[in-house]
Amino acid sequence: MSEALTIEGLVKQFGGLTATDHLSLSVTQGEVHAVIGPNGAGKTTLIGQLTGEITPDAGTIRFAGRDVTGLAVHRRSMLGLARSFQITNVLADFTARANVALAVQAHQGHSFRFWRKAATDPRLIGPAEEHLATVGLADRADVTASSLSHGEQRQLELAMALATRPAMLLLDEPMAGMGPEDSARMVEILKRLKGELTILLVEHDMDAVFALADRITVLVYGRAIATGAPEQIRNDPDVRAAYLGEETGDA
Amino acid sequence: MQMIRVGFIGLVMLALAVVPVVANAIDEPFYVSLFTRMLVLAIAASSLNLVLGYGGMVSFGHAAYLGLGSYVVGIGFYHAANDGMDWALNGWLHLALAVVIPGMAALLIGAISLRTRGVYFIMITLAFSQMLYYFFIGLERYGGDDGLSLWYLSDFGDVMDLNDDSQLYYLAYGLLVLVLFTLYRLVNSRFGMVVRGAKSNERRLMAVGFPTYRYRLVAFGISGAICGVAGFLMANQSEFVSTSEMHWVHSGDLIVMVVLGGMGTLFGPVLGAVGFLMLEQYLPELMEGVCHIIGGESCGIAGEYWKMVFGPLLILIVLFARGGIDGLLQGKVGRNV
């Protein structure tokens, strides 16, 4: 199987803190690869470097066979690398439909089109409504994003990422702040996407991780201490000591 | 409320359409020039609204584009009057250059300014406009500090005669309608969605794949070009071109008009410009009158302090009328604090 994403020797330091410490990791085409780790393990810093918002100090990131380490955020999106944000990050004063339509628009060539009304353009609205249906928001299309519930906003996040027709999704804690019910719904939605898309999932919710992941990488202090199938990770003594023990302790 | 709003805006546009007819009927030609100024500033404020209201770019230097537009007319006049270059008075040429030159200037200034954010953006746009202001002060040939009195206005041959105040007024009215229609199409187009989206959440827009910088830059250029049209009209209306119109205070006035009328709405800046000039014109008279009624002394100077009333009025609108006059018409009385 081919590699969708390969990270080699990635380093990022913030002052004296090493957030990413010679990290190497590869995500296989079509798999759901979860990255777990305690708070401060450098998970969000890793996502930031993968999307291009944070420039690494050393190392390379290869996506779809091409070195993307120095590529701008929007260029990576064009290559098919989409992300959702840990803290909900939608256009608050746009409707759900307009949010997704804008993401659709981003991948239909340039937007120096000055005259035709975007809100009634079937080439935007059609796909936008499809993606809303995929994440279960079909009947909430006309609601302003800021009026959606937290769980719905997370679903909208996902719809926007899907609307960019990605080859790979970077999901930064898609279940963050969700109750068990919303969380279970999100797992169902992601299960349906499994196989169609390569997914890198950063998540705290262990039930969700073990329900979805094909492979799991455990990050501690910016280093990968283990990578393997869920069962392997569950039984790895280092992981138990560093992470899972702690997790069962406060769960 | 929507009915009231549409009705009110319709009424304002209709009233503006008949100003010269009424003014000539009651033999008060002064009103034509007052209302021409309103239309001109409505165009300028609408251009600023594209970047400020829809794009979230607080340009504190739009007086520069107004000034550049008016200097197109001034410099054309100068060469026609002094060097016998009659073609330099051609009105179509003036109008075209008053779009192109301020538009290019805005693209250049925007290309640098848009790399900054927040207060830095405000300061850098202010700095560029002050640079242009001092550049034209130093340009002795075209009047420098004293400005240029225009004996001839932009020449449109047999099509229209701008020496006729009514014809100038209707040119301004037509251009305002054209500008508003263009802006309406623009802000609702794919391009407009990107510009508005970047105001709402630029980080998200980049994440879905938009190179937001170039869209914001083009919006800034279009805004400067439209503002230049206002400058062209302003020169022909006042029959005078000077650096004072480029002074930063006027950039501030334009922001006030946009905020007063309602940011990010199509007709807000029109209402803002009309409201601003109405207050500037009638608040002094009103204050003088009130002074007489309460039996004050030397009421003649009371009117000079109109800004003491205007200032607090503006603060009240900003604090309590979310969305300015246009917001009030929509019944949005929500507080901003």
Side-chain angles (χ1 to χ4, degrees), chain B residues 41-260:
Chain B
L41 290 172
I43 293 175
S46 294
S47 78
L48 177 61
N49 186 40
L50 175 63
V51 291
L52 176 63
Y54 289 104
M57 300 169 248
V58 187
S59 164
F60 199 6
H62 257 52
Y65 313 116
L66 199 61
L68 283 173
S70 68
Y71 266 98
V72 165
V73 179
I75 292 172
F77 155 78
Y78 177 89
H79 288 291
N82 294 300
D83 307 333
M85 297 156 72
D86 285 347
W87 57 269
L89 265 187
N90 186 307
W92 302 111
L93 181 69
H94 285 180
L95 200 49
L97 289 179
V99 170
V100 172
I101 291 173
M104 296 299 285
L107 279 179
L108 278 172
I109 291 173
I112 297 164
S113 309
L114 285 169
R115 297 184 184 277
T116 65
R117 288 283 177 279
V119 175
Y120 302 103
F121 181 77
I122 298 174
M123 286 297 123
I124 201 166
T125 50
L126 170 65
F128 273 117
S129 81
Q130 285 299 90
M131 269 169 55
L132 279 170
Y133 171 73
Y134 286 111
F135 173 76
F136 277 96
I137 281 186
L139 217 56
E140 291 293 338
R141 184 169 195 199
Y142 302 119
D145 226 351
D146 301 324
L148 277 171
S149 278
L150 309 181
W151 319 323
Y152 306 118
L153 301 180
S154 302
D155 181 14
F156 287 92
D158 296 333
V159 179
M160 57 191 155
D161 177 10
L162 300 189
N163 290 297
D164 178 338
D165 285 350
S166 296
Q167 292 194 33
L168 176 62
Y169 182 91
Y170 281 114
L171 174 62
Y173 188 84
L175 286 172
L176 174 63
V177 171
L178 181 69
V179 162
L180 289 175
F181 180 65
T182 305
L183 287 175
Y184 168 75
R185 297 304 302 224
L186 213 58
V187 298
N188 288 302
S189 69
R190 288 188 178 214
F191 173 76
M193 296 315 278
V194 179
V195 172
R196 290 157 73 182
K199 177 199 179 189
S200 178
N201 191 339
E202 188 173 12
R203 187 169 170 225
R204 176 38 118 170
L205 249 71
M206 290 201 265
V208 296
F210 285 113
T212 50
Y213 171 79
R214 37 188 110 140
Y215 293 99
R216 287 156 56 93
L217 178 58
V218 169
F220 201 80
I222 293 172
S223 172
I226 295 175
C227 202
V229 174
F232 157 85
L233 288 167
M234 183 171 273
N236 280 296
Q237 189 274 323
S238 56
E239 304 181 8
F240 186 66
V241 170
S242 84
T243 51
S244 75
E245 294 297 350
M246 296 177 97
H247 195 256
W248 66 270
V249 167
H250 293 284
S251 298
D253 286 346
L254 289 177
I255 294 180
V256 169
M257 286 173 210
V258 174
V259 173
L260 179 70

Side-chain angles (χ1 to χ4, degrees), chain A residues 151-168:
Chain A
E152 287 171 333
Q153 289 191 12
R154 308 294 309 175
Q155 286 160 256
L156 181 57
E157 273 283 319
L158 183 61
M160 289 179 79
L162 290 175
T164 65
R165 308 176 138 276
M168 178 168 181

Side-chain angles (χ1 to χ4, degrees), chain A residues 13-191:
Chain A
Q13 287 185 312
F14 295 109
L17 178 83
T18 308
T20 308
D21 190 0
H22 298 91
L23 177 70
S24 296
L25 178 77
S26 68
V27 181
T28 310
Q29 201 85 47
E31 78 168 336
V32 175
H33 194 121
V35 174
I36 62 172
N39 280 326
K43 302 185 296 287
T44 295
T45 307
L46 173 62
I47 294 265
Q49 291 170 92
L50 295 180
T51 56
E53 286 188 341
I54 299 174
T55 314
D57 297 329
T60 55
I61 301 165
R62 297 181 65 80
F63 175 68
R66 146 167 203 199
D67 188 342
V68 298
T69 318
L71 219 56
V73 177
H74 66 89
R75 301 282 298 278
R76 293 186 201 205
S77 169
M78 286 301 161
L79 286 179
L81 193 59
R83 77 170 299 186
S84 77
F85 290 82
Q86 180 181 4
I87 296 160
T88 304
N89 199 354
V90 292
L91 306 173
D93 44 356
F94 282 47
T95 62
R97 183 189 290 112
N99 265 282
V100 185
L102 206 47
V104 172
Q105 186 184 321
H107 291 256
Q108 288 186 356
H110 68 79
S111 286
F112 290 106
R113 300 180 198 183
F114 301 101
W115 209 247
R116 214 175 133 197
K117 205 168 180 171
T120 52
D121 186 339
R123 286 187 58 222
L124 297 176
I125 300 311
E129 291 186 337
E130 262 172 53
H131 294 300
L132 282 172
T134 308
V135 301
L137 284 178
D139 52 340
R140 305 287 279 165
D142 289 312
V143 181
T144 311
S146 58
S147 307
L148 294 172
S149 75
H150 177 75
E152 287 171 333
Q153 289 191 12
R154 308 294 309 175
Q155 286 160 256
L156 181 57
E157 273 283 319
L158 183 61
M160 289 179 79
L162 290 175
T164 65
R165 308 176 138 276
M168 178 168 181
L169 273 180
L170 303 169
L171 301 178
D172 193 1
E173 300 197 25
M175 282 78 167
M178 279 188 174
E181 230 171 273
D182 285 342
S183 199
R185 185 174 331 125
M186 186 60 92
V187 169
E188 282 314 307
I189 294 166
L190 292 178
K191 265 187 182 162

